[in-house]
Amino acid sequence: VAIVFDILGNIWSIKSKLKKCVPSKMKRMDDMPREQLMEMMKRLNVCFFINKDMRYSLTGFRSVDWAIKYGYCGSTAVGFSQVGVVINAVLNDLDTATKYGERAIEIIELTNCERLKSY
């Protein structure tokens, strides 16, 4: 039950940060350890998704938060797309969800990350 409240709090918080989440106006992450952590978070996200674990959404929220704070990298795109899925599923807000999906595509294009195009 506590995780549900955490997810709802994160949804409202992250939804309000949408205007800050414009990749073309954000800096690119230049910290290799953080980029590696983002990659690990992306892989953890896949495990949560496969196991239908509710913590799936929390990794997306953390990715977007880190992108706002430290900049974006290729793995950040997965977090942006995740947040869009969760916002649509929980709030039925397709407009905001679509904007997060568009931000994910923009990150993929900015980073030229071919391996993420299949996600």
Side-chain angles (χ1 to χ4, degrees):
V1 175
I3 196 165
V4 172
F5 290 114
D6 195 24
I7 290 170
L8 289 174
N10 277 301
I11 288 172
W12 291 113
S13 171
I14 213 78
K15 191 175 174 190
S16 68
K17 295 178 182 177
L18 181 62
K19 290 181 180 157
K20 294 180 186 176
C21 299
V22 180
S24 60
K25 295 180 181 176
M26 296 165 61
K27 69 177 185 171
R28 182 153 182 170
M29 189 179 289
D30 58 0
D31 183 359
M32 186 55 77
R34 274 205 182 92
E35 281 192 49
Q36 291 170 338
L37 287 170
M38 290 292 280
E39 179 66 25
M40 289 171 54
M41 200 166 1
K42 181 187 81 176
R43 291 177 186 193
L44 181 62
N45 164 44
V46 172
C47 294
F48 285 152
F49 181 77
I50 289 170
N51 290 307
K52 298 179 179 154
D53 190 315
M54 290 179 68
R55 292 174 288 181
Y56 159 81
S57 59
L58 298 177
T59 56
F61 299 135
R62 181 56 51 112
S63 293
V64 172
D65 279 337
W66 280 8
I68 292 168
K69 193 171 187 176
Y70 305 113
Y72 66 87
C73 65
S75 299
T76 311
V78 175
F80 274 80
S81 63
Q82 257 178 287
V83 167
V85 169
V86 172
I87 285 175
N88 189 46
V90 175
L91 301 178
N92 199 24
D93 184 351
L94 187 57
D95 291 336
T96 304
T98 301
K99 288 176 184 167
Y100 272 98
E102 290 168 350
R103 305 287 200 281
I105 292 169
E106 186 178 349
I107 290 170
I108 291 170
E109 290 170 352
L110 287 170
T111 59
N112 200 22
C113 199
E114 292 293 322
R115 63 188 167 82
L116 286 177
K117 289 186 179 177
S118 64
Y119 274 88

